[in-house]
Amino acid sequence: MVKYDDGMLNDVFQVLSDPTRREIIKSLAVGEMTVMNLAKPFQMSLPAVSKHLKVLEKAGLVSVRKEGTYRYYYLNPKLVENAHEWLMDLRKFWTAQVYNLEHFLDNQSKEDE
């Protein structure tokens, strides 16, 4: 398996463990948005959504662009891609393990006949 920054992976998975933040990430995957637009689907205050955005920003998953009095948030896909690569490496490992187990069980059943 490829070496990954454990601290970065821990931060990404911890941040993404919250369902509200995952929904915010999904929204930002479509394009950049203001806090007001991001808050629409949630039954929470703007400051509460802003707190979630600060956590996402601190983890490096989102960035902000200021234009006049508006702050536009957008997704920073690099860290998500790193986490995805880690998960895919893990999937390759477990797929190989299942294949080896199937192969072993097939050989065992042939020996038992």
Side-chain angles (χ1 to χ4, degrees):
M1 285 179 70
V2 178
K3 291 281 186 187
Y4 294 95
D5 179 355
D6 285 341
M8 179 274 307
L9 284 174
N10 290 345
D11 291 346
V12 169
F13 287 122
Q14 182 177 8
V15 167
L16 294 177
S17 69
D18 183 274
T20 301
R21 291 193 284 265
R22 287 194 306 269
E23 287 301 316
I24 290 172
I25 292 290
K26 280 185 197 177
S27 296
L28 291 175
V30 175
E32 66 180 17
M33 300 174 86
T34 63
V35 177
M36 187 80 76
N37 288 333
L38 284 167
K40 284 181 185 176
F42 304 107
Q43 294 183 351
M44 63 177 65
S45 66
L46 289 177
V49 173
S50 291
K51 283 184 181 181
H52 283 292
L53 286 166
K54 284 186 193 311
V55 171
L56 289 166
E57 189 177 3
K58 184 178 178 187
L61 291 168
V62 301
S63 295
V64 64
R65 174 180 68 83
K66 293 179 184 178
E67 188 174 298
T69 58
Y70 293 99
R71 296 172 61 95
Y72 292 91
Y73 289 87
Y74 58 93
L75 190 58
N76 181 4
K78 177 109 174 104
L79 291 180
V80 176
E81 288 171 10
N82 289 341
H84 180 260
E85 288 174 18
W86 181 83
L87 288 169
M88 293 311 297
D89 282 349
L90 195 61
R91 181 180 183 182
K92 288 176 194 173
F93 169 78
W94 283 110
T95 300
Q97 294 300 315
V98 169
Y99 173 79
N100 290 336
L101 178 61
E102 287 175 348
H103 184 72
F104 172 78
L105 292 174
D106 284 346
N107 288 338
Q108 285 296 110
S109 66
K110 288 177 185 173
E111 289 176 11
D112 290 343
E113 292 175 357

